[in-house]
Amino acid sequence: MNFRRAVSILAWLLFGFIAYSTLSPIGMRPQIGNWVQLERFGAYGLLGFLYAVAYPKRPWLVLSLLLAAAIGLELLQAPSADRHARPSDVAVKMAGTACGIGAAWFFARFSRRFATKGCE
């Protein structure tokens, strides 16, 4: 199995975990700490990073689909009695996604530059 395939599998597993966490009842939602917005930002940032690494030739498609997924998952919370869809939550998730994709792009762009300097 090559590197991109492994990262792709991790990205899809993380997406499933995020979907479960977003749509499950509030008592079943996993929590790391008290900073819920930081958890959201980090989860979507990692998701964006993994998808951008797994599908490097399609950054705009990855960005569009993950932003749409963040909005869609948030809206799917609306029918639930114990969950709520807030614009601030969507904004944090979208910012995390964009930062993760940007970090992957930055890393890919500059890692080649440093790799060639180290081989001289």
Side-chain angles (χ1 to χ4, degrees), residues 35-120:
W35 296 352
V36 178
Q37 296 292 27
L38 184 61
E39 287 178 10
R40 290 179 182 124
F41 184 87
Y44 276 85
L46 180 59
L47 185 69
F49 185 86
L50 290 175
Y51 270 102
V53 169
Y55 306 103
K57 296 182 182 189
R58 299 189 169 151
W60 293 110
L61 179 63
V62 167
L63 179 64
S64 301
L65 291 176
L66 290 181
L67 292 179
I71 294 168
L73 286 172
E74 193 69 24
L75 290 176
L76 285 172
Q77 289 182 356
S80 177
D82 63 342
R83 302 303 295 255
H84 53 272
R86 291 186 183 158
S88 62
D89 294 348
V90 173
V92 168
K93 293 173 181 180
M94 292 173 81
T97 299
C99 287
I101 292 171
W105 174 83
F106 184 82
F107 180 74
R109 181 169 171 98
F110 290 104
S111 66
R112 287 186 290 235
R113 182 174 294 169
F114 293 128
T116 57
K117 286 183 180 180
C119 294
E120 294 177 335

